[in-house]
Amino acid sequence: MTKIVKKHNINKVSKSNYATPTGVVLEAEKSLSQSLLWKLQADFYANQGPEAWIKGIVPQYITTNPYIAHLYAKTVFGYCRDIASDPNFDRSATIYIMELAAGVGRFTYAFLKSFLPMMQNSSLKELKIQYLITDLAERNVEYWLNHSFLNPYFESGVLDCAAFDMAKDEELRLRYSGEVLNKDKLKNPLILFANYTFDSLPQDTFYVHDEKLFEGLVTVTTQGEQSDPKDSSILAGIDYSYTDRLIQGSSYYEESKINDILLFYRGCLDDSAFSLPIVALRCLQRLIRLFRDDLLLISTDKGYRNLESMNHIYHPFLSKHGSISLTVNFHAMELYFTGLGGKVIHSIYEHENVTTSLFLLSSRSHDFIETSMAYHEIIENIGPDDFYIMKKAVVPLHKSLTTRELLTFLRYTRWDSRTFLEFYNTLLERIAEEEDFPSEELVAAIHKVWEQFLPIGEEGDLAYCLGTLLAYFGHDREAITLFTSSIEFYGEDAAIYYELALCHYNLQEFNQALQYLEIALTLDPDAEDAKRLKEIITQF
């Protein structure tokens, strides 16, 4: 009988897969967390800034879509219900929600769109909530502060931002308000999000054999040239290998609770390697101290969360997608939280792409029933990974679905923009061909999709697609707003200015129409449609 091997979201790499690389040695036998690879990583994000996401170099969709944001919002709402019921809860103090390594802020925007209405329409509407969007890259911070869609949240005080170095920072210097958050000012728990975050932070790797613990040391080499000209990864032209060195004693790290994790694995693994997210753990340690042992962490990442997934694997494979990433040992994070007296909830299902886990630490005597119930409901039904799997299955079949079925699935995705763009051409074809086309439902869907969407200027101009549909159905005023956003994020284009002129023409705003036609013809003197419309207007 063929043995069935479960998937645990980890590359099952054996020792035999690692031949000693040839070439010039850049560094020899360093602890993985101290490798120059992480300097390259930091430089990559600092230099790329928002372009890393705008150009699609770094993956983001699975952890930034409106579906996952809504799941997080429901869980946080349950948590707020729990802590608000505590008699020691200070209603006059702010509850901070902090997002680590937020990139361009797409998850932030989707979360606020979902969470704020929940709070405003509940008995918790008087609670003071502030969302803190953070990242290491200064360019990302400047991007948020200058984004027109985020600006209303900054102005209202519900949003602030900070450059935050997870490797060392012990306080938060908020950029918009200028406030500095330190231990003396914080009275309520911290709600922390880390999506596709810990996999990109320095980790260490260890190997256990015959009840002996070895540290995995990495040697980095280069061939002196990039083997693939199309490879933009920081690992382009770079190779690496591991060697094992015996660890003497039981005090590898300064922190006793982290050493306890090493000793645990030494006692229960054999001929197996495991990684330790050391920078993530130390970051959590500082935040736990800052917020007085009150913290809720929700994290979605590629990770493994049980001992079985570590059996007979070797040191971690470095995935490359511009930057580098390693599978996260959520099981080690569980050992750390439970060692502090905390609670951890993992999904009971094996996941294909990412896993979502909840880590809870509290100095309060509270059972957190609402939090656990909300988390179990959303994660054990259709969680973030399940949603992504289902979406990948449905989208290729969308031409065989009816229009109403397409709109129903779009509603299921929480009005996901990527799904809409994947359906766009099919919907466009059916408008003219299909009898009883549900135009009113489509218009309503367009408004919902745009409401959930944070434009960043990536490939696929959603504003233009939505705007042309709204204009077709006679919603010219709303279409103008979308075409204006298209110009803001994609730059001037003769076709967009023509669409703006046509909307103003339909609204009998002829002066504005002529102004946009002049711009369109300046950009493209041969634009026949613009010439024709200008001639019609000037004849009046």
Side-chain angles (χ1 to χ4, degrees), residues 230-245:
K230 297 181 180 179
D231 189 348
S232 60
S233 166
I234 64 173
L235 291 184
I238 290 178
D239 203 355
Y240 63 95
S241 62
Y242 294 105
T243 53
D244 297 323
R245 182 168 66 193

Side-chain angles (χ1 to χ4, degrees), residues 99 121 128 299 359:
E99 182 183 352
N121 292 295
K128 296 180 180 179
S299 182
F359 304 84

